[in-house]
Amino acid sequence: MAKCEVCEKGIQTGHRISITRSQVSRRANKMWRANIKKVQVQEKNGTVRRAKVCTRCLRSKKVTRAV
């Protein structure tokens, strides 16, 4: 699966817990996938390249999108 090239965020795994009558009855494996987009990024020397970046890095301006 894809990983963010800036912060290395990827898949996280854990358990989906089914609760009935205030008791943990069943556990099933679950994967949470990061919201990763393929965007054009402008580097510091002015070149443009494609990169896989999570939306949190895009929103916090850790990368500069090419126009």
Side-chain angles (χ1 to χ4, degrees):
M1 186 66 193
K3 250 188 191 181
C4 178
E5 295 181 14
V6 178
C7 65
E8 301 294 322
K9 185 189 291 186
I11 294 176
Q12 289 187 343
T13 60
H15 293 290
R16 178 187 298 133
I17 298 176
S18 166
I19 300 175
T20 57
R21 294 188 183 173
S22 73
Q23 296 177 4
V24 175
S25 58
R26 295 178 191 248
R27 292 184 184 183
N29 293 331
K30 179 166 173 42
M31 290 193 305
W32 286 273
R33 291 180 173 88
N35 191 3
I36 298 200
K37 306 292 182 188
K38 199 183 268 190
V39 295
Q40 287 187 338
V41 175
Q42 186 172 10
E43 295 180 344
K44 294 187 180 190
N45 59 3
T47 61
V48 176
R49 68 178 181 93
R50 281 197 183 271
K52 293 178 182 174
V53 183
C54 69
T55 53
R56 182 166 294 231
C57 291
L58 284 173
R59 195 172 56 215
S60 63
K61 309 273 188 197
K62 290 185 179 178
V63 294
T64 305
R65 288 184 84 159
V67 178

